[in-house]
Each structure stands twice: as structure tokens, then as C-alpha cells.
């Protein structure tokens, strides 16, 4: 079946540090891949997505590239801010009806 | 434009009690979803709806029922609450299931505790 594996957190960084959150997936066919972000006390928001191999999704300085050969969709940001502190979820949706399959989430803590 | 709203925000139930969670969206979306979020398990789909009057089971439907009598509302019911249903519940909606308009918009969540 479809599944998503994320690195366990929390990830603790200082402001302006480089961020990588690893995400790998198992799926049949050619899924779409997503990163969602959940700020404290809020629901999830779509951060970025990629729908086919080698696509790069980007938003708010975050980037992730759909790597079919390594079944990965790692999230990166060159310089994190305190306001980026949140929980980040990697997710996939297979072709057809878009049922999202989520990873377990990675908490990011950024200190000044 | 409020987006997706959920009521209530918090609720404490005793085992065996019943309750209904209400989700409302004002974006004219066709698709609506109910998820539960548990520590270390991410979000899991409970039930979903592809349009007014339709519902379908997701990954973890047991112990829950849903109704979509109006396009803008999606209700999640617990007929006889159990401690295993202690969780945070999120509602989401999307315009379509595929293509550029398949983004799911999430509500703020309902934290439910069953004693």
C-alpha cells in the first residue's frame, strides 16, 4: 500500500540555519507529493506540491524536488526564521481520487 | 470568507455518550473530508464526501457516521464514544479531486477527549 516516512523530530535549529526534512514514500503508480505545515493551534496549510517526477515545488523560501529514482521529496530551506517553527507533514495522493496519505509529521523549532 | 470552520473547538465526553462535530465551508467546494490526528500517526482519513448527499468510508471509519445534507456542511457523528476516539479531528474541503484545484483546505480542528 501507499505510505510516507518522515524523519523524526524535533528538529532544533538556530535562526538563519539551513533546513532539511527528509521524506520518502512507497506508492504504486505516479503519486502527487505534498508538504503541509501546521502552526501551533491551527489546521494544516498546503506549503508546496509536485505532481510528477523532477518537478520542484516551492513557496515561502521552501523547496522540495520529486525524485522518483530515490522515492523522495525532501523539504529544504536555505535560512530558517523563528516564524517557521511548526510541524511539517509530507503527504502523497495517488492517481484518481485524491485521498491523502500523511507521514507522521516533523516538528521544527527555530530559536533566535 | 471564513474558509473551513469547525464546531466545537474542544469537547470532553464520557464513554458511551454521543456527539456531532460540525464542519462548514464557504468556498463552494464539492469534496469534504474528516481526518483524525493522533500522536506519532499523522492524519488518517475517517470518511469523505464527493458531493451533496454522498459519503464514503476512509481508512478508519469504524465508530463514526457522517452526513452531507447540504453542500457546505459535513457532519461527523459518534454514536457511542470510546476512549480510543480521543483525538484531534480535522475537517478539510477541496474544489475537485485532481488537477490544479485539488488543494485541500483544513479547518482549525476539534480536540475531543473521551473519559
Amino acid at each position: 500500500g501507499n505510505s510516507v516516512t518522515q524523519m523524526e523530530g524535533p528538529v532544533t535549529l538556530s535562526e538563519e540555519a539551513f533546513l532539511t526534512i527528509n521524506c520518502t514514500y512507497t506508492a504504486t503508480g505516479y503519486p502527487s507529493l505534498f508538504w503541509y505545515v501546521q502552526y501551533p493551534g491551527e489546521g494544516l496549510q498546503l506549503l508546496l506540491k509536485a505532481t510528477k517526477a523532477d518537478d520542484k515545488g516551492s513557496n515561502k523560501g521552501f523547496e522540495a524536488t520529486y525524485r522518483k529514482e530515490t522515492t523522495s521529496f525532501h523539504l529544504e530551506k536555505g535560512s530558517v526564521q523563528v516564524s517557521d517553527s511548526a510541524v511539517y507533514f509530507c503527504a502523497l495522493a495517488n492517481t484518481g481520487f485524491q485521498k491523502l496519505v500523511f507521514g507522521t509529521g516533523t516538528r521544527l523549532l527555530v530559536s533566535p | 470568507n471564513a474558509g473551513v470552520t469547525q464546531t466545537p473547538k474542544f469537547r470532553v465526553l464520557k464513554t458511551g455518550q454521543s456527539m456531532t462535530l460540525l464542519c462548514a465551508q464557504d468556498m463552494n467546494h464539492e469534496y469534504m473530508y474528516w481526518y483524525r490526528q493522533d500522536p506519532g500517526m499523522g492524519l488518517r482519513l475517517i470518511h469523505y464526501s464527493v458531493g451533496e448527499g454522498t459519503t464514503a468510508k476512509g481508512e478508519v471509519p469504524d465508530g463514526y457516521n457522517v452526513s452531507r445534507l447540504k453542500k457546505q456542511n459535513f457532519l461527523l457523528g459518534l454514536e457511542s464514544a470510546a476512549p480510543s476516539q480521543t483525538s484531534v479531528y480535522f475537517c478539510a474541503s477541496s474544489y475537485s479531486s485532481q488537477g490544479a484545484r485539488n488543494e485541500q483546505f483544513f479547518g482549525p480542528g476539534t480536540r475531543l477527549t473521551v473519559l
Side-chain angles (χ1 to χ4, degrees):
Chain A
N2 299 330
S3 66
V4 175
T5 303
Q6 288 182 238
M7 60 189 294
E8 287 196 24
V11 173
T12 304
L13 295 173
S14 298
E15 206 165 24
E16 298 184 2
F18 184 85
L19 168 71
T20 300
I21 299 178
N22 290 338
C23 170
T24 56
Y25 68 90
T26 301
T28 55
Y30 302 94
S32 296
L33 301 173
F34 306 82
W35 277 101
Y36 279 82
V37 58
Q38 183 180 29
Y39 298 103
E42 299 183 10
L44 279 69
Q45 303 173 26
L46 180 65
L47 181 60
L48 55 83
K49 70 178 185 181
T51 57
K52 61 183 187 297
D54 300 325
D55 267 3
K56 178 185 282 188
S58 62
N59 186 25
K60 300 181 181 179
F62 291 89
E63 292 183 342
T65 301
Y66 188 162
R67 301 285 188 202
K68 190 172 186 298
E69 64 277 12
T70 54
T71 61
S72 65
F73 193 54
H74 304 322
L75 183 67
E76 296 182 336
K77 187 175 186 183
S79 176
V80 294
Q81 305 301 311
V82 172
S83 57
D84 294 327
S85 297
V87 180
Y88 292 81
F89 291 91
C90 186
L92 71 82
N94 227 323
T95 53
F97 179 68
Q98 196 220 11
K99 290 189 204 179
L100 285 171
V101 175
F102 286 88
T104 54
T106 303
R107 183 175 299 276
L108 170 65
L109 301 171
V110 181
S111 56
Chain B
N1 191 335
V4 180
T5 58
Q6 293 181 233
T7 53
K9 286 185 168 51
F10 303 94
R11 186 71 185 269
V12 179
L13 292 178
K14 295 181 180 178
T15 296
Q17 287 185 318
S18 63
M19 79 162 294
T20 300
L21 282 67
L22 172 64
C23 175
Q25 53 93 6
D26 61 3
M27 296 175 281
N28 201 34
H29 285 171
E30 289 293 333
Y31 295 76
M32 297 187 75
Y33 317 80
W34 275 108
Y35 294 90
R36 58 178 290 172
Q37 182 181 30
D38 301 296
M41 300 190 73
L43 275 75
R44 293 179 292 170
L45 183 65
I46 305 171
H47 285 280
Y48 63 97
S49 169
V50 301
E52 182 178 323
T54 73
T55 62
K57 294 180 180 179
E59 181 185 356
V60 288
D62 294 342
Y64 304 95
N65 56 76
V66 288
S67 64
R68 183 99 181 267
L69 298 179
K70 293 183 179 181
K71 185 177 184 178
Q72 63 267 33
N73 295 337
F74 195 30
L75 278 63
L76 178 71
L78 287 73
E79 290 187 349
S80 179
S84 61
Q85 295 177 304
T86 294
S87 188
V88 181
Y89 292 86
F90 287 100
C91 177
S93 70
S94 65
Y95 184 80
S96 75
S97 68
Q98 300 181 52
R101 303 182 75 175
N102 66 352
E103 176 184 349
Q104 291 189 22
F105 292 82
F106 284 79
T110 295
R111 184 174 295 276
L112 174 66
T113 301
V114 183
L115 302 176

